């Protein structure tokens, strides 16, 4: 792990770059807004920590009422528990003896859960839990339309849930019914239609299980793009939104019911870059490229100077074209970039620099950086 690029008390111009910046005022408003929404809807929030990979952020979410966090990998869960997070769901399949043994060991230190969509995998998880003398909470994952993991709704889910409920060391907690590919459908009605389908499949499955005496205490799913539909459904009771804490440039391209870009949550995560060359004259070159930003959802948006554009990323460079803005960039100037996709951008950094009113207030480690196993 590298030394942090800044220390508390420093001003913005003293931060080394490229640095992953959190604007604390915006970030705290995002946390409070989501907490208020889930409270008003009468559902629980189990925030997704794959977005931030940071125990300090997870504990703030829990301080505002989240019942715990999700993550995608056992190593991520380990890093979060090491950082003091008491309740983690691996909202994903955990396959292989070594991973299952680590999951079971972790369940001896915190409240731990995972998803299953295969009876053989459930049997192995049961064996790992029994060997470690622990209990692992299990959600049976149902494919509610996303076409990734999950058994088919209805009878196949019932069959698997019965196996889980009967397996020593496993606690059947309910259903995982996340519709991932609906989150970035741009149109409001498109997202609504996709989630209507997910709700129908989740409802049918939960009712079937209950009719057979299996209590679905948890029906989980939802992300930042769709959570209002799930929370109003009367079926889902645990939301897994993640990106709302930071809001990347890609999420800001989703449209609301009036056809305008969604503005429920504020951009709170930035990569702060420095102009390192103006030799060309036509454009400025900044010090943040492919190793400081993720490009899977397009280039970063330029927050400051407003109106400028980022292009031509290479390993350690990017071009800022300031022609569309009034700003004339000079060597050493700072450029604020809004990542196209926050989750994989965070995974490129060791530290967050949390700032308020132009001063560094805290630095937080990205505890689960590189925790992809
Ligand atoms: C990524 C993910 C989420 C959160 O999605 P956001 O769009 O980041 O809010 C929720 N649940 C699961 C299972 C996920 O993989």
């Amino acid at each position: 792990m590298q030394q942090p690029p800044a220390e508390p008390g420093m001003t913005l111009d003293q931060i080394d770059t490229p640095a992953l910046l959190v604007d604390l005022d915006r970030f705290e408003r995002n946390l409070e807004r989501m907490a208020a929404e889930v409270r008003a809807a009468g559902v629980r929030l189990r925030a997704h920590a794959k977005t931030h990979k940071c125990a300090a952020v997870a504990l703030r979410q829990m301080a505002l009422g989240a019942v715990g966090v999700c993550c995608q990998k056992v190593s991520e869960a380990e890093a979060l528990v090491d950082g003091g997070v008491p309740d983690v769901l691996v909202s994903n399949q955990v396959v292989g003896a070594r991973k299952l043994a680590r999951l079971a060991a972790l369940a001896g230190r915190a409240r731990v859960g995972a998803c299953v969509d295969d009876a053989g995998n459930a049997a192995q998880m049961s064996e790992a839990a029994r060997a470690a003398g622990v209990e692992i909470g299990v959600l049976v994952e149902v494919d509610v339309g996303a076409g990734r993991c999950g058994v088919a709704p209805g009878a196949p889910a019932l069959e698997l849930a019965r196996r889980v409920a009967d397996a020593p060391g496993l606690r059947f907690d309910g259903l995982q019914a996340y519709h991932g590919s609906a989150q970035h459908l741009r149109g409001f009605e498109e997202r609504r239609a996709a989630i209507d389908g997910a709700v129908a499949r989740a409802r049918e499955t939960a009712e079937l299980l209950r009719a057979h005496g299996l209590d679905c205490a948890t029906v989980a799913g939802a992300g930042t793009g769709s959570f209002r539909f799930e929370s109003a459904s009367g079926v889902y009771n645990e939301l897994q939104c993640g990106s709302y804490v930071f809001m990347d440039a890609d999420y800001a391209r989703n449209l609301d019911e009036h056809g305008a870009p969604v503005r429920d949550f504020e951009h709170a995560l930035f990569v702060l870059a420095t102009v390192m060359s103006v030799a060309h004259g036509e454009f400025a070159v900044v010090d943040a490229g492919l190793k400081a930003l993720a490009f899977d959802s397009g280039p970063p948006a330029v927050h400051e100077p407003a109106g400028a554009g980022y292009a031509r990323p290479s390993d350690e460079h990017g071009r800022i074209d300031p022609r569309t803005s009034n700003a004339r960039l000079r060597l050493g100037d700072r450029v604020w970039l809004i990542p196209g996709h926050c989750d994989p951008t965070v995974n490129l950094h060791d530290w967050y620099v949390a700032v308020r009113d132009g001063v560094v207030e805290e630095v937080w480690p990205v505890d689960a950086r590189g925790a992809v196993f």
Side-chain angles (χ1 to χ4, degrees):
M1 201 181 209
Q2 300 301 308
Q3 293 297 309
E7 287 167 25
M10 284 182 170
T11 54
L12 285 175
D13 51 308
Q14 294 176 300
I15 300 171
D16 209 347
T17 65
L20 193 61
L21 243 59
V22 174
D23 180 311
L24 282 168
D25 286 335
R26 290 165 168 246
F27 165 75
E28 287 167 7
R29 283 195 293 269
N30 287 347
L31 292 187
E32 280 156 16
R33 173 142 199 186
M34 182 60 82
E37 291 226 18
V38 297
R39 222 171 17 246
V43 295
R44 303 190 291 271
L45 174 66
R46 175 180 290 279
H48 216 301
K50 77 171 195 248
T51 304
H52 54 71
K53 291 176 163 280
C54 175
V57 174
L59 292 171
R60 282 173 189 233
Q61 291 172 315
M62 292 187 71
L64 288 178
V67 296
V69 295
C70 306
C71 62
Q72 294 297 79
K73 300 292 180 140
V74 175
S75 55
E76 242 177 354
E78 288 169 338
L80 293 166
V81 170
D82 287 346
V85 179
D87 188 332
V88 182
L89 168 71
V90 181
S91 57
N92 205 355
Q93 276 57 39
V94 179
V95 173
R98 184 175 164 83
K99 272 189 176 51
L100 288 167
R102 281 175 26 230
L103 183 75
L106 197 63
R109 302 205 281 134
R111 188 177 166 85
V112 166
C115 294
V116 300
D117 69 357
D118 180 88
N121 181 230
Q124 286 179 344
M125 192 179 289
S126 163
E127 183 49 40
R130 231 181 29 78
V134 298
E135 187 178 66
I136 298 172
V138 171
L139 298 180
V140 167
E141 181 158 10
V142 179
D143 179 5
V144 291
R148 196 168 60 182
C149 300
V151 291
L158 172 63
E159 173 57 26
L160 182 55
R162 279 183 165 142
R163 301 264 194 125
V164 169
D166 290 342
L170 302 186
R171 183 184 67 243
F172 175 68
D173 280 343
L175 300 177
Q176 170 77 5
Y178 175 61
H179 195 323
S181 59
Q183 302 306 317
H184 290 86
L185 294 174
R186 295 303 178 210
F188 182 86
E189 289 305 332
E190 277 177 286
R191 289 198 301 282
R192 188 216 296 275
I195 300 304
D196 279 352
V199 167
R201 295 177 180 108
R203 174 181 285 119
E204 166 205 338
T205 307
E207 283 174 358
L208 182 69
L209 267 60
R210 284 176 188 136
H212 286 82
L214 284 166
D215 179 30
C216 287
T218 296
V219 179
T224 301
S226 72
F227 73 94
R228 292 205 183 91
F229 302 130
E230 283 94 340
S231 68
S233 67
V235 175
Y236 288 78
N237 58 12
E238 197 166 291
L239 308 186
Q240 302 179 328
C241 310
S243 298
Y244 77 96
V245 290
F246 294 149
M247 273 304 281
D248 49 41
D250 192 48
Y251 248 127
R253 290 189 273 268
N254 274 10
L255 303 176
D256 66 15
E257 62 268 52
H258 310 296
V262 295
R263 292 292 177 262
D264 303 331
F265 299 98
E266 302 173 57
H267 295 300
L269 184 77
F270 303 91
V271 169
L272 185 68
T274 300
V275 174
M276 58 185 284
S277 172
V278 290
H280 195 282
E282 291 272 301
F283 52 81
V285 177
V286 289
D287 58 357
L290 299 170
K291 292 182 183 173
L293 292 152
F295 286 82
D296 58 292
S297 302
V302 180
H303 180 67
E304 282 286 337
Y310 179 108
R312 292 272 300 267
S314 52
D315 277 4
E316 314 290 1
H317 301 92
R319 242 196 215 185
I320 302 294
D321 182 347
R323 274 174 299 196
T324 49
S325 109
N326 294 327
R328 179 108 144 271
L329 289 169
R330 286 177 299 261
L331 204 66
D333 279 355
R334 295 309 178 86
V335 174
W336 290 62
L337 301 169
I338 300 168
H341 190 183
C342 49
D343 314 40
T345 296
V346 164
N347 196 46
L348 297 169
H349 295 263
D350 278 335
W351 297 96
Y352 290 102
V353 178
V355 300
R356 197 189 311 272
D357 298 331
V359 178
V360 177
E361 213 167 276
E362 292 178 53
V363 293
W364 305 324
V366 182
D367 300 288
R369 180 193 183 175
V372 294
F373 51 96

